[in-house]
Amino acid sequence: MSESDDLVERPEPPRPVQVSFWLWVASAVVLVIAYLVVFLARQQVIDTLVKANTNTQITPDKIASGTTVLFAMLLVGSVSFAAFFVLFAWKARQGTRSARTVLTVLVAITLVFQFVMQAYTGISLVATLLGLVALALMYIPSVQPFFPKVSRR
């Protein structure tokens, strides 16, 4: 690769790709907020679980500890997914076709996780909806030339 290859200007992303990028950023922020709210409101869940507990070997402290760890993991996971959303949206904004594919997989994982595990709140559903709209914008026909197919060697 020569020095002139490094200076090649990238075309300006089409408007839908630019909008998509900002929707990914919004989705990332809303997703983290959703699980931060869940983490901060974990005491309500703990209280409900303690009241419903019929096993004398499971103490309220164990319930509180386990619930806190679970919700902390959900929060860390949401931060991780948010970082991936922004990173791959940035790469897609640069015209990287594989970044668009990774975002498709991330949204699919998010949807499956939220509905199968029932780990959703109204706020996290908004984050997922923003991600779905952002993803749809990356697949509309007018932006296809911006994501060229990479030829196999």
Side-chain angles (χ1 to χ4, degrees), residues 86-134:
V86 173
L87 171 67
F88 287 106
W90 179 261
K91 296 303 288 177
R93 186 178 182 193
Q94 294 176 335
T96 306
R97 186 181 184 96
S98 60
R100 184 177 68 167
T101 304
V102 171
L103 287 166
T104 303
V105 171
L106 289 173
V107 166
I109 291 169
T110 303
L111 279 169
V112 168
F113 176 76
Q114 287 191 17
F115 291 112
V116 170
M117 300 301 292
Q118 295 183 1
Y120 55 86
T121 64
I123 303 170
S124 67
L125 289 176
V126 168
T128 303
L129 181 61
L130 287 170
L132 286 169
V133 171

Side-chain angles (χ1 to χ4, degrees), residues 4 14 16 18 26-27 41 47 58 71 96-98 132 138 141 147 151:
S4 63
Q18 293 177 20
S27 176
D47 292 343
I58 300 175
F71 285 6
T96 306
R97 186 181 184 96
S98 60
L132 286 169
M138 290 184 163
F147 296 107
S151 61

Side-chain angles (χ1 to χ4, degrees), residues 23-44:
L23 286 172
W24 281 114
V25 171
S27 176
V29 169
V30 172
L31 187 67
V32 171
I33 289 170
Y35 285 99
L36 181 61
V37 167
V38 167
F39 180 78
L40 294 176
R42 71 188 177 280
Q43 191 58 50
Q44 292 172 331

Side-chain angles (χ1 to χ4, degrees), residues 2-59:
S2 69
E3 189 175 313
S4 63
D5 290 338
D6 293 336
L7 300 176
V8 173
E9 283 191 39
R10 295 187 184 272
E12 183 73 17
R15 184 85 172 133
V17 173
Q18 293 177 20
V19 171
S20 175
F21 171 76
W22 290 109
L23 286 172
W24 281 114
V25 171
S27 176
V29 169
V30 172
L31 187 67
V32 171
I33 289 170
Y35 285 99
L36 181 61
V37 167
V38 167
F39 180 78
L40 294 176
R42 71 188 177 280
Q43 191 58 50
Q44 292 172 331
V45 174
I46 292 169
D47 292 343
T48 302
L49 291 173
V50 167
K51 285 179 188 172
N53 181 30
T54 58
N55 187 339
T56 57
Q57 294 185 356
I58 300 175
T59 65

Side-chain angles (χ1 to χ4, degrees), residues 71-93:
F71 285 6
M73 289 173 50
L74 289 172
L75 180 58
V76 168
S78 72
V79 170
S80 300
F81 265 68
F84 285 136
F85 283 179
V86 173
L87 171 67
F88 287 106
W90 179 261
K91 296 303 288 177
R93 186 178 182 193

